[in-house]
Amino acid sequence: AAFDDEPEMEFVDDTPELRRRWMDYGYCRWGEALESADGFHFSPEQGASSHVAAHFAARNSRRIEAVRDATRPDDVVITVSHFVPRLELLPEKRFLVDPHLPKVSGSELIEAQLRALGSRLHVFGHTHLAMDFDIDGVRYVNWPLGSDRERQNQTRVVAGAGALLLYDSEKGFAPTQWTFWSHFYRKFDRDPASNKIAPWVTKAYKALGLTHSRQLHKEDDLDKLPNFPGGMQADAFYRSNASKERHFRSTQDGDDLRP
């Protein structure tokens, strides 16, 4: 939970009932030594303390020292984690149907360790939200295939373009890939204090019968939403995007073949 230091949203109560959709709380057990530690908590009622993240970071420490000792100045260091190393790699809560996501997504300890290794590119996952973004000299990439439903929209930039070859010893790094959220945050700064929620969040909450106090409705705010370059429609953009930098992607499939 310490990873998420941005304000809570007013449009939904972050209740234990809603948190139970995160199966980790029900299925994960961490052993008596960790669970009996002072201040440990991991439940829908209390959320997650930092103990689990610290435990796995400690297990990484000796490996990090070994890699640092073996790394030469001209080596290319690429690091990988399942969880998110920086909060900036998640959309703000006003864009999320489930604003509890940042609390179960990452740890700043991952960021500290990848920096200690001198990483040039960090690959992460967990969120099912595609991202290709540079922050303070490190490139961060999340390239999720997603579920069948997610591939129709949320992860279509991946599903319609194919697996990504991030680094080739002869060609170097793949060009930065367009993603919905990295494109948006290159244009606009984060505004975590805003309570103007996105239209798709409004739609989802209405469908679920849940209430909220604010919604994004002013015409002058509509340009501050993620959109496709040049005002392109989704199908046209994805077809065009899938054919770019094909030598860094898997064989032609998906949106390359759409009529």
Side-chain angles (χ1 to χ4, degrees):
F3 176 76
D4 174 27
D5 60 1
E6 294 185 342
E8 302 301 331
M9 292 288 94
E10 297 179 10
F11 62 85
V12 62
D13 293 328
D14 186 14
T15 65
E17 288 71 24
L18 290 176
R19 293 180 188 178
R20 284 193 178 91
R21 71 183 298 271
W22 297 100
M23 306 305 289
D24 311 58
Y25 288 130
Y27 287 113
C28 293
R29 297 293 181 268
W30 303 109
E32 183 178 353
L34 193 58
E35 292 181 359
S36 62
D38 185 42
F40 177 91
H41 52 85
F42 190 87
S43 69
E45 291 75 23
Q46 294 180 292
S49 63
S50 61
H51 292 69
V52 174
H55 171 77
F56 285 107
R59 294 188 63 176
N60 279 341
S61 294
R62 67 179 182 274
R63 296 179 177 87
I64 288 173
E65 290 303 319
V67 171
R68 290 179 66 179
D69 291 342
T71 301
R72 299 167 300 184
D74 58 343
D75 284 340
V76 175
V77 178
I78 298 174
T79 50
V80 180
S81 66
H82 174 79
F83 290 102
V84 184
R86 299 179 68 117
L87 188 60
E88 299 100 312
L89 300 171
L90 277 166
E92 300 147 62
K93 293 185 179 77
R94 62 197 176 102
F95 294 130
L96 299 172
V97 173
D98 188 344
H100 192 68
L101 177 63
K103 291 181 172 57
V104 292
S105 288
S107 169
E108 68 280 359
L109 298 175
I110 301 172
E111 172 71 7
Q113 291 187 332
L114 71 89
R115 295 280 169 175
L117 284 167
S119 178
R120 291 178 58 186
L121 184 149
H122 184 77
V123 181
F124 67 99
H126 188 68
T127 65
H128 293 212
L129 297 169
M131 181 73 74
D132 191 343
F133 204 52
D134 289 83
I135 305 175
D136 298 333
V138 176
R139 180 179 175 185
Y140 298 86
V141 177
N142 187 355
W143 199 247
L145 181 59
S147 66
D148 287 343
R149 177 180 57 81
E150 289 170 333
R151 291 171 202 166
Q152 305 307 308
N153 186 11
Q154 182 172 317
T155 65
R156 185 174 169 182
V157 70
V158 177
L164 181 63
L165 173 63
L166 279 170
Y167 180 78
D168 183 282
S169 59
E170 296 182 357
K171 300 174 184 176
F173 286 101
T176 298
Q177 304 296 300
W178 184 95
T179 76
F180 219 50
W181 291 110
S182 50
H183 176 68
F184 176 73
Y185 284 115
R186 287 188 190 99
K187 293 171 59 180
F188 302 109
D189 293 332
R190 292 178 75 84
D191 186 12
S194 173
N195 274 312
K196 291 182 283 191
I197 67 175
W200 57 86
V201 178
T202 299
K203 182 178 180 180
Y205 273 71
K206 285 182 178 178
L208 293 169
L210 301 175
T211 59
H212 54 268
S213 59
R214 292 177 173 84
Q215 62 180 347
L216 185 58
H217 59 85
K218 295 180 179 178
E219 291 297 325
D220 58 357
D221 286 327
L222 294 180
D223 64 336
K224 296 183 180 180
L225 287 172
N227 52 34
F228 295 103
M232 294 179 70
Q233 296 299 306
D235 285 343
F237 171 77
Y238 284 122
R239 282 196 299 270
S240 172
N241 183 69
S243 64
K244 291 180 179 177
E245 295 114 23
R246 175 46 65 190
H247 53 286
F248 279 102
R249 297 203 179 117
S250 60
T251 55
Q252 292 185 355
D253 56 12
D255 285 307
D256 289 72
L257 303 180
R258 289 178 183 266

